[in-house]
Amino acid sequence: MELTVWTYEGPPQIGAMRIATAMRGVHYVVHAPQGDTYADLLFTMIERRDHRPAVTYSTFMATDLGGDTATLFQTTARAAVERFRPQALLVGSSCTGELIQDDPGGLAKALNLPIPVIPLDLPSYQRKENWGAAETFYRLVRGLAGPTAPPPGTPRREMPTDRRPRCNLLGPTALGFRHRDDLRAVTLLLQRLGVDVHVVAPLGAAPSDLARLGEADFNVVLYPEVAGTAASWLERTFKQPTVRTVPIGVGATREFVAEVADLVGADPAPVLDDETLRLPWYSRSVDSTYLTGKRVFVFGDATHAVAAARVATDEFGFTVVGLGTYSREFGREVRAAAERHGLEALITDDYLDVETAIAAAHPDLVLGTQMERHISKRLGIPCAVISAPVHVQDFPARTAPQMGIEGANVLFDTWVHPLMMGLEEHLLMMFRDDFEFHAEAAPSHLAGTHRAAPEPAGADAPAAAATRDEGAAVAPAWDADAEKELRKIPFFVRGKARRNTERFAAERGLSNITVETLYDAKAHFGR
């Protein structure tokens, strides 16, 4: 383990909490000390859920370590069952609780509880959150759907002719990035293809629903990081086909529709010709030429990162200059995607490595997580969030899916607007000396007023100050005239111009950057 300010994924028990909190009738008892009890903060503050997470902690203290912590866990588990009356109980340890080796599974089994008890062995020091979610969901599916499995060797069922086909939607969880909205978008697509949704799991499912998973005709995996393992088990056990195309973007959505239509024998044309799809029209418009060739850096979980890179290249005409993920279990898939873009994939869970890669790539837009949002703000680059980890602003009250036809429209808005607003900023900079736009001019809607204001330091002043603070020993200082001249450079290349000039000056031992230095550096790097 490493001490870090930020982390892309929490320990695996956070993944287990995401499954338990997403479901109905499931409770998770965690053997954990004081200090590990932060589930309420995650699910009620960040996701803004209207009820508390289905998690109970044994909450042992340092003074309990000399006594019987095993009995304390059993007391906690029995009390949780009596209070919450769940249909199934998950039991496990936090990363600290794991160290005392009390075996929550064996302790819970000894209680002879009247409900299924699923023990979770989640190695906190080797695995991370998404793996924990996948393992927990798999254990639940196997434990609750397993008893209804057909005998080995049972042939695959044919698609029904006496009723509409039905499928399971697998993967959405609590604290998932736009999972709630993706479900609505994908369900609408399936309904228009004549397919009913049998069970959605884990989000909103009860243990009794998991027992019915085998009744569906096929499964749809929306989030492989969570549902991939369980879907593979269902495919082997119940002989259910699996649709693994993730419908993010226009191309992938059309492929998803065609795959499902072929599976159930439906006509995909009415869905494929959806007139509400706006992105293809924009891609053919004159306005889109402003965005053609924009350099984009993509980082997130494997599913969203690979999909975003494809959409950026094929549907926006961007150039992908960086592609990576923190999902090490899916490193092979991301490396293959990066190779298609002529890149070497960045597989890391260290945000400092990601920041270094973004700074070196000089992108015009970053598509990433909330970590990349902070990094981009620091580097002065527009950013759109495409993946967890996320913050409270990524759980909007409105519907904002990433999947399906409406999801493609949301991507169009989310990715294009930062760049178009950047164009507006550039125009304002161009006309900053105009009588209406100069620094001392009053707002245009306050006619006849005037406000005096000191000469602004400029949009790049905080970045300049940060540069000097961080590298005071090596970074050259900027003259006021040089700073003023730098602000004439368009914002989307200004950061690169600043870095190149500072490197140019440092290499020549210059302690002060003048206007002449700026233009010397421009000539040097323009060769």
Side-chain angles (χ1 to χ4, degrees), residues 26 48 66 74 91 134 141 150 205 211 248 300 318 345 353:
V26 173
R48 298 185 290 192
Q74 289 182 313
V91 295
V141 169
I248 297 179
F318 294 162
D353 291 342

Side-chain angles (χ1 to χ4, degrees), residues 123-407:
S124 300
Y125 299 94
Q126 290 83 37
R127 297 289 190 169
K128 293 292 183 72
E129 178 181 329
N130 278 339
W131 183 89
E135 180 69 7
T136 301
F137 186 48
Y138 165 69
R139 292 293 174 188
L140 279 165
V141 169
R142 184 167 181 170
L144 299 173
T148 64
T154 302
R156 176 174 290 181
R157 293 174 301 180
E158 298 294 329
M159 280 295 160
T161 56
D162 57 339
R163 60 168 173 79
R164 285 163 57 101
R166 58 195 181 198
C167 72
N168 300 317
L169 295 183
L170 305 179
T173 71
L175 209 65
F177 181 60
R178 307 290 169 84
H179 289 192
R180 171 200 64 193
D181 299 341
D182 286 346
L183 275 178
R184 294 180 59 180
V186 174
T187 299
L188 178 60
L189 282 179
L190 293 168
Q191 288 174 346
R192 295 178 62 187
L193 288 168
V195 177
D196 293 331
V197 175
H198 183 57
V199 172
V200 174
L203 188 62
S208 56
D209 295 322
L210 297 189
R212 299 187 297 114
L213 287 172
E215 300 171 4
D217 300 307
F218 64 99
N219 295 310
V220 174
V221 177
L222 296 181
Y223 309 101
E225 286 87 351
V226 174
T229 306
S232 296
W233 181 84
L234 288 168
E235 190 169 12
R236 295 191 305 270
T237 305
F238 290 93
K239 305 299 187 292
Q240 294 169 319
T242 303
V243 175
R244 295 183 183 272
T245 300
V246 179
I248 297 179
V250 176
T253 296
R254 286 174 171 164
E255 291 172 7
F256 173 85
V257 169
E259 185 177 352
V260 173
D262 181 65
L263 188 62
V264 302
D267 180 13
V271 181
L272 294 176
D273 296 335
D274 195 303
E275 62 184 15
T276 65
L277 192 57
R278 303 281 293 168
L279 179 57
W281 164 84
Y282 183 82
S283 297
R284 295 190 298 268
S285 72
V286 174
D287 289 346
S288 69
T289 57
Y290 166 69
L291 302 177
T292 302
K294 289 292 185 184
R295 296 164 56 81
V296 182
F297 191 100
V298 183
F299 193 88
D301 68 50
T303 296
H304 286 91
V306 171
R310 174 184 173 179
V311 172
T313 302
D314 297 349
E315 299 171 23
F316 284 83
F318 294 162
T319 299
V320 176
V321 296
L323 174 59
T325 184
Y326 55 82
S327 304
R328 294 183 181 275
E329 292 84 1
F330 289 80
R332 180 179 300 176
E333 291 83 350
V334 177
R335 288 189 181 94
E339 188 175 344
R340 290 194 292 272
H341 293 278
L343 301 169
E344 182 178 350
L346 176 64
I347 313 296
T348 182
D349 57 4
D350 188 335
Y351 65 92
L352 295 176
D353 291 342
V354 181
E355 180 171 4
T356 300
I358 292 174
H362 304 297
D364 301 305
L365 176 68
V366 174
L367 304 174
T369 74
Q370 71 156 328
M371 243 80 87
E372 283 66 52
R373 179 197 290 138
H374 293 310
I375 290 169
S376 299
K377 186 181 297 183
R378 172 183 172 82
L379 297 176
I381 304 171
C383 178
V385 175
I386 62 162
S387 162
V390 290
H391 207 350
V392 61
Q393 69 188 80
D394 297 306
F395 293 95
R398 71 186 186 283
T399 301
Q402 300 286 287
M403 295 184 181
I405 292 171
E406 189 56 31

Side-chain angles (χ1 to χ4, degrees), residues 18-42:
R18 288 173 54 192
I19 303 299
T21 302
M23 295 183 66
R24 297 177 292 112
V26 173
H27 203 81
Y28 182 27
V29 177
V30 187
H31 199 26
Q34 287 182 327
D36 278 3
T37 54
Y38 44 76
D40 283 9
L41 178 67
L42 287 174

Side-chain angles (χ1 to χ4, degrees), residues 10-17 27-38 55-60 65 69-70 72-74 76-77 89-108 117-129 131-132 135-136:
Q13 70 263 18
I14 298 299
M17 290 178 196
H27 203 81
Y28 182 27
V29 177
V30 187
H31 199 26
Q34 287 182 327
D36 278 3
T37 54
Y38 44 76
V55 180
T56 296
Y57 298 93
S58 60
T59 320
F60 60 82
L65 294 177
T69 54
L72 175 62
F73 174 81
Q74 289 182 313
T76 302
L89 188 71
L90 295 169
V91 295
S93 297
S94 71
C95 49
T96 310
E98 182 181 333
L99 298 176
I100 64 175
Q101 300 180 342
D102 270 341
D103 184 21
L107 294 172
V117 176
I118 292 110
L120 300 177
D121 183 14
L122 305 177
S124 300
Y125 299 94
Q126 290 83 37
R127 297 289 190 169
K128 293 292 183 72
E129 178 181 329
W131 183 89
E135 180 69 7
T136 301

